Amino acid sequence: MATTPRRPVSPMDAAEALFKPGKKVEASVEKRAVPEARELVSLRLDSAVIQYFQDDGPGWQDRINDALRAVMAANPKD
């Protein structure tokens, strides 16, 4: 019964085996967002708008989000 050596016979063969291309994993075609998930974005707002929401203290970003949701609810798209 033949046994395989614990180490490769040739160090060059071992190195080549390590860098041999592996199987390609299929990337998902469709990326679905989780409902109600928050996404990090960069947004330019007037300093007066930011100050208005920051005057009420912490949670000003949530208040801006709520205001934008209210506009969406008032103006539904088809």
Side-chain angles (χ1 to χ4, degrees), residues 18-39:
L18 286 174
F19 291 101
K20 187 178 2 175
K23 281 187 171 179
K24 289 190 177 185
V25 178
E26 291 286 326
S28 64
V29 176
E30 188 175 322
K31 188 175 182 182
R32 296 181 185 179
V34 178
E36 302 298 321
R38 300 261 174 133
E39 186 175 340

Side-chain angles (χ1 to χ4, degrees), residues 6-78:
R6 297 186 102 183
R7 294 185 190 193
V9 176
S10 165
M12 181 64 110
D13 292 340
E16 287 178 352
L18 286 174
F19 291 101
K20 187 178 2 175
K23 281 187 171 179
K24 289 190 177 185
V25 178
E26 291 286 326
S28 64
V29 176
E30 188 175 322
K31 188 175 182 182
R32 296 181 185 179
V34 178
E36 302 298 321
R38 300 261 174 133
E39 186 175 340
L40 180 64
V41 296
S42 177
L43 183 65
R44 291 178 178 262
L45 300 173
D46 294 339
S47 57
V49 171
I50 295 172
Q51 188 63 45
Y52 175 82
F53 285 97
Q54 286 180 339
D55 283 344
D56 291 333
W60 62 273
Q61 292 169 323
D62 293 328
R63 289 190 292 277
I64 290 175
N65 191 62
D66 294 341
L68 292 172
R69 281 195 168 278
V71 171
M72 286 172 48
N75 301 302
K77 288 189 174 186
D78 292 334

